[in-house]
Amino acid sequence: MALTTYELARIMEQMEESPEKVMYGKLLRELGNQSEERIRSAAKQLPLHTLKDIVYQFQRVIESRKGEQVDLLAQELIKDGISVEDLKAYMNK
């Protein structure tokens, strides 16, 4: 019985910091360090439905993590002495 990427992602989420999850994270980091050509070549080896599942899961993670970047930017602005009102005034120019 083969698991879809979605099912695998759900199981991995439930495992928290299990060795499998750590290994999977390392694998994804290593994939991200590869050239565009190597990533495309690897992706072409997957069935289309599996590739779509992976893309869908990544899109969900990206959406859920957008706030992280906003928080980091807000902290940097506060550290530099720029208030929300200053930023809004600048953006309205």
Side-chain angles (χ1 to χ4, degrees):
M1 178 174 116
L3 295 175
T4 66
T5 304
Y6 177 74
E7 292 166 330
L8 182 60
R10 279 196 358 223
I11 291 169
M12 296 296 266
E13 275 180 8
Q14 295 169 356
M15 290 191 288
E16 290 302 316
E17 293 303 319
S18 69
E20 292 87 359
K21 189 171 184 179
V22 172
M23 293 272 298
Y24 195 63
K26 288 180 181 180
L27 176 66
L28 289 175
R29 273 192 296 279
E30 186 60 34
L31 179 63
N33 291 330
Q34 300 300 310
S35 69
E36 187 176 319
E37 182 180 319
R38 291 186 94 176
I39 293 171
R40 286 183 182 183
S41 176
K44 287 179 182 178
Q45 296 177 31
L46 297 173
L48 188 56
H49 72 277
T50 302
L51 193 57
K52 286 180 180 181
D53 282 344
I54 291 170
V55 169
Y56 173 74
Q57 293 303 322
F58 282 147
Q59 287 173 334
R60 288 186 60 197
V61 171
I62 289 168
E63 282 299 315
S64 72
R65 293 186 63 186
K66 278 184 180 178
E68 289 177 23
Q69 188 66 35
V70 172
D71 289 342
L72 288 173
L73 290 170
Q75 289 173 8
E76 284 184 36
L77 290 173
I78 291 169
K79 188 172 72 174
D80 291 341
I82 300 172
S83 70
V84 174
E85 291 77 22
D86 294 338
L87 183 59
K88 283 181 183 178
Y90 178 79
M91 297 297 285
N92 289 329
K93 286 184 182 180

